[in-house]
Amino acid sequence: MNVLQPLILAGLPLAALPVIIHLINQRRFQTVRWGAMMFLVAANRMARGYARLRQWLILALRVLGLIGLIFAVSRPLASGWLGLAAGGRIDTTIILLDRSASMSQQEPGASRSKLRAAVEQLAGTLRLLGSNRWILIDSQTRTPHELKEPGELLQSPETDPTSAASDIPGLLDAARQYVRDNKTGRTEIWIASDLRRADWDEQSGRWEGLRSAFLEFPQAIRFHLLSYADTAADNLSIRVVNTTRRRTATGAELLLSMVLTRDQPTPAPLSVPLRIEVAGASSELTVEFTGNRHELRDHPVTLDATQERGWGRVSLPTDGNPSDNEAYFVFAPPPRRQTLLVTDQASTADALQASAGIAPDPSLTSGVDVVGVDQLAGVDWDAAALVLWHSQLPTSDTAAALRTFIDRGGQIVFFPPDTPSAASFLGQTWKNWIEPAAELGVETWRGDQDLLANTQDGSSLPVGELSIRRYCRLEGDAVPLATLKGGAPLMARAPTDRGGAYFVATTAQPRDSSLAANGIVLYVFTQRAIAAGVSVLGDTRAVAAGELAGLNATADWTRIAGAADTISTDYGYQRGVYSVGEMLFAVNRPPREDDPRIVPDDGVNQLFSGLDFRRVEDQASRLSTLVQEIWRSFLLVMMLALLGEAALCIPKVLPKPAEPSA
């Protein structure tokens, strides 16, 4: 059992005092044989068994009363199996709070979200456990905030829900840095999350480094996971995946492509009403939903011919998670999908030029400029959406220009040159070419996100059908998106704050791979990279919540649509429509927040393998705190024991002798 005042338990030996006093009292009297008493002793032997039992019961109740008093004063906790208060006084308690959109889900019959339940549970629990200091690190800012006491969690704006995703490894790394920089003593780290796979990224190589870093600390560090892993079977979400404005014979119209998803497949066809609002006008549309996904392509909405630029919203009826019932969009004439192909071998650029130059929609305009490295001085980087780089990795001024291009949201895909140099870019270096004895296939690839993700209808790209005849070894800390048999990366993404930098370990030339012959994969990932690059061009953009958070401190944001109670510093994290200067932004939750998959129990245990880790399952509908003081129960035990002892000590009432008859 765990107690808040463990030193009080040192007084438990005092419970033996009634027994000791009883034994001492027995030694005070000496037996003197007296013949006249022998008849009384003989008469008393008949009741000796009951008297001895009564004496032992009185002793036991006195001992129990003292034990109850000692435990009541030591403030025991109800959830002792958690081991929450073991090990002495806590120096620092760090709270890692998942504020992602999925944490806004409410359970059936519950009046609060998972996030609010976690905040209330932590406030009540940590108040009981005590600590020298409490530090809150939320999933958006990842900045430590010191709390005066755990009750501040209930009013802190850093505990409000957002529309952004979470990065749990990043949260843990922020906690690691705090422990290192502040040289904390005994530390408790509480993680409140719904265990969404997209937020935990359990396949990331960062977890191994985090485990090693925490194990190296000399002080005791204990992890507690407050888990809200239940999903809402009937939760529906809506997302606008594309908007296209086009002229018609009578004016103009907006083509909306939307995706509806459900956490679990519907057992029967379901009619879902959609409300579409554009330029102050609203309309309703009923969609027949089956399975767990429904795609609605190019739904027309009539526009005024003079309306070139604007915004709108699509909404669902209220359900278990209000954070995914709305999707905002902005529209304007689409910018040119311009690609810059940098190569010193123009004869080998045909496949790349074709994959970038053919637009997926006839209404879109595309262009590809083929230039050499020595011609980059006159390039208009602001007009390019994608750079395909088939040359030596850039250095000096060229590397600086590409970093600026990526920082503004541009996309770049590197292909290895015939003779790699020692140059590196974003921590990546091309090494030597490898020619295997036989063609290699692709062993694994990321189908859940990024350039090789499944199509909108859930079908996977034919990445596994590719044949690799020659590949260049890549050295660096890039995240693999596809690996060859044997583990070598075929495609990897370098870490960037914005934009995208990808490295493909082979080329589209027939001697190297079948990328050109089986052109679907090459075309799809090229067009996806262009679409990501185009999204930051023009004066209207659709962005994921959190993507533009860096602008909060420097830009003057104006809320046009969205929750009225959103504070200005959170505009970049909350769904809605905002203007920043001449730019118009539609902010929505990231696509990965619609993935209901959670990290399995074995996976969680593996992530914390070797660390002092405990997991606490909880529900949003639960109102009590995780731990409760139960001293009142022990006080009641003491009172009942003393009452029982008093009852046994009452002298036996003898019957009145019969009066003699006259």
Side-chain angles (χ1 to χ4, degrees):
M1 177 179 294
N2 294 304
V3 295
L4 297 179
Q5 301 292 338
L7 292 180
I8 300 296
L9 296 181
L12 277 176
L14 295 176
L17 280 176
V19 178
I20 295 173
I21 293 173
H22 172 74
L23 295 175
I24 292 175
N25 282 334
Q26 280 192 331
R27 301 282 297 177
R28 289 175 57 189
F29 303 101
Q30 295 183 1
T31 302
V32 177
R33 297 186 179 275
W34 181 26
M37 295 295 295
M38 60 181 297
F39 299 105
L40 293 176
V41 172
N44 193 42
R45 285 176 181 170
M46 300 297 297
R48 182 176 297 176
Y50 168 74
R52 181 168 295 178
L53 176 61
R54 183 164 165 266
Q55 289 177 355
W56 283 113
L57 284 175
I58 291 173
L59 280 177
L61 289 174
R62 288 173 178 172
V63 171
L64 183 60
L66 285 175
I67 291 176
L69 177 62
I70 293 170
F71 271 105
V73 175
S74 67
R75 300 175 65 189
L77 301 178
S79 296
W81 60 274
L82 295 175
L84 299 178
R89 181 73 176 179
I90 302 170
D91 176 67
T92 304
T93 298
I94 300 177
I95 305 156
L96 306 182
L97 190 60
D98 181 354
R99 299 171 62 194
S100 61
S102 58
M103 285 289 283
S104 295
Q105 176 188 307
Q106 296 177 345
E107 295 180 355
S111 59
R112 58 180 184 172
S113 66
K114 292 180 176 181
L115 177 60
R116 191 60 187 176
V119 170
E120 293 178 3
Q121 296 282 31
L122 287 170
T125 299
L126 299 181
R127 186 185 293 114
L128 287 176
L129 297 181
S131 179
N132 291 333
R133 67 176 66 89
W134 295 271
I135 306 298
L136 170 65
I137 305 177
D138 71 285
S139 60
Q140 307 313 317
T141 64
R142 293 192 223 164
T143 302
H145 302 275
E146 185 165 357
L147 308 175
K148 293 181 180 178
E149 54 94 16
E152 288 189 20
L153 288 169
L154 301 174
Q155 289 82 34
S156 173
E158 282 79 21
T159 63
D160 292 336
T162 70
S163 301
S166 291
D167 179 12
I168 302 301
L171 271 177
L172 285 166
D173 189 56
R176 177 195 63 79
Q177 293 181 39
Y178 182 87
V179 172
R180 180 199 64 192
D181 297 342
N182 293 273
K183 297 179 173 56
T184 63
R186 180 170 177 263
T187 303
E188 302 272 329
I189 298 179
W190 284 80
I191 309 166
S193 175
D194 57 357
L195 289 177
R196 292 293 178 107
R197 260 186 164 163
D199 297 331
W200 281 69
D201 193 16
E202 77 268 29
Q203 302 298 328
S204 171
R206 292 181 292 171
W207 282 100
E208 183 176 354
L210 285 169
R211 285 195 300 269
S212 300
F214 279 113
L215 288 171
E216 289 176 358
F217 285 119
Q219 65 270 47
I221 300 178
R222 176 175 293 173
F223 296 83
H224 304 281
L225 171 61
L226 182 53
S227 168
Y228 295 86
D230 293 338
T231 58
D234 59 347
N235 181 61
L236 281 169
S237 61
I238 181 70
R239 177 176 303 282
V240 176
V241 295
N242 189 48
T243 59
T244 303
R245 183 194 181 278
R246 70 180 184 182
R247 295 187 178 276
T248 62
T250 58
E253 67 179 4
L254 184 67
L255 300 181
L256 291 178
S257 294
M258 297 168 281
V259 172
L260 284 83
T261 55
R262 197 171 189 266
D263 286 357
Q264 295 183 15
T266 57
L270 181 67
S271 295
V272 180
L274 298 181
R275 184 178 181 84
I276 304 174
E277 302 174 54
V278 180
S282 63
S283 60
E284 291 191 0
L285 170 69
T286 300
V287 175
E288 295 298 323
F289 191 98
T290 57
N292 59 358
R293 181 185 177 88
H294 180 82
E295 184 177 357
L296 184 65
R297 295 185 180 181
D298 296 338
H299 173 72
V301 177
T302 303
L303 294 177
D304 188 280
T306 60
Q307 190 172 8
E308 295 280 339
R309 180 174 179 262
W311 65 274
R313 170 174 50 201
V314 181
S315 57
L316 292 170
T318 303
D319 58 16
N321 190 348
S323 69
D324 56 17
N325 291 338
E326 288 183 329
Y328 292 87
F329 58 87
V330 290
F331 60 89
R336 180 180 175 85
R337 299 164 64 91
Q338 188 66 33
T339 299
L340 187 66
L341 175 54
V342 180
T343 179
D344 294 328
Q345 300 175 343
S347 60
T348 64
D350 293 343
L352 298 179
Q353 189 171 1
S355 65
I358 303 175
D361 190 316
S363 64
L364 302 175
T365 57
S366 297
V368 180
D369 291 334
V370 182
V371 298
V373 176
D374 57 349
Q375 300 173 300
L376 292 177
V379 165
D380 183 8
W381 296 102
D382 292 334
L386 171 67
V387 174
L388 297 175
W389 189 279
H390 185 200
S391 185
Q392 301 289 347
L393 290 177
T395 58
S396 64
D397 293 344
T398 303
L402 284 180
R403 288 192 183 94
T404 302
F405 171 76
I406 294 171
D407 289 342
R408 72 148 174 87
Q411 309 290 311
I412 184 167
V413 180
F414 291 95
F415 296 90
D418 285 343
T419 306
S421 67
S424 66
F425 183 74
L426 297 179
Q428 315 305 311
T429 305
W430 293 121
K431 306 304 285 187
N432 56 300
W433 280 90
I434 296 177
E435 297 187 28
E439 294 181 352
L440 294 179
V442 180
E443 188 171 45
T444 61
W445 70 91
R446 295 288 299 267
D448 57 339
Q449 59 180 316
D450 229 304
L451 298 187
L452 301 179
N454 298 339
T455 61
Q456 292 182 4
D457 62 1
S459 302
S460 61
L461 295 180
V463 181
E465 299 177 7
L466 294 176
S467 298
I468 309 302
R469 305 176 183 101
R470 197 170 73 116
Y471 68 93
C472 190
R473 190 163 59 88
L474 179 66
E475 185 178 89
D477 57 353
V479 178
L481 300 181
T483 58
L484 299 171
K485 291 183 178 179
L490 174 63
M491 174 182 281
R493 177 169 183 164
T496 57
D497 294 331
R498 293 190 62 202
Y502 301 88
F503 292 79
V504 179
T506 189
T507 73
Q509 299 180 59
R511 67 172 181 175
D512 295 335
S513 71
S514 63
L515 274 174
N518 300 334
I520 295 177
V521 175
L522 177 63
Y523 179 76
V524 169
F525 80 65
T526 301
Q527 291 300 319
R528 285 176 174 174
I530 293 175
V534 166
S535 67
V536 301
L537 301 178
D539 57 2
T540 59
R541 298 182 192 175
V543 298
E547 184 177 331
L548 297 179
L551 291 178
N552 281 357
T554 59
D556 184 14
W557 287 65
T558 301
R559 182 181 60 83
I560 298 175
D565 58 351
T566 301
I567 60 177
S568 59
T569 54
D570 274 355
Y571 282 168
Y573 301 113
Q574 301 287 4
R575 67 184 186 277
V577 179
Y578 306 92
S579 64
V580 182
E582 297 297 322
M583 298 295 301
L584 195 62
F585 292 100
V587 179
N588 292 287
R589 68 193 183 281
R592 64 184 189 177
E593 281 299 298
D594 292 341
D595 185 355
R597 295 179 302 165
I598 64 173
V599 183
D601 294 347
D602 292 344
V604 174
N605 294 333
Q606 182 62 36
L607 295 179
F608 291 93
S609 175
L611 300 173
D612 190 353
F613 169 70
R614 288 167 177 80
R615 176 172 173 173
V616 186
E617 296 287 351
D618 202 17
Q619 296 178 341
S621 57
R622 174 174 166 172
L623 298 178
S624 60
T625 56
L626 298 175
V627 292
Q628 296 179 347
E629 292 192 65
I630 54 173
W631 59 268
R632 294 177 181 85
S633 300
F634 285 94
L635 196 59
L636 179 62
V637 170
M638 182 198 74
M639 295 173 62
L640 292 176
L642 295 181
L643 286 174
E645 185 262 353
L648 291 173
C649 289
I650 296 175
K652 183 178 180 181
V653 179
L654 299 175
K656 292 183 179 180
E659 295 183 1
S661 60

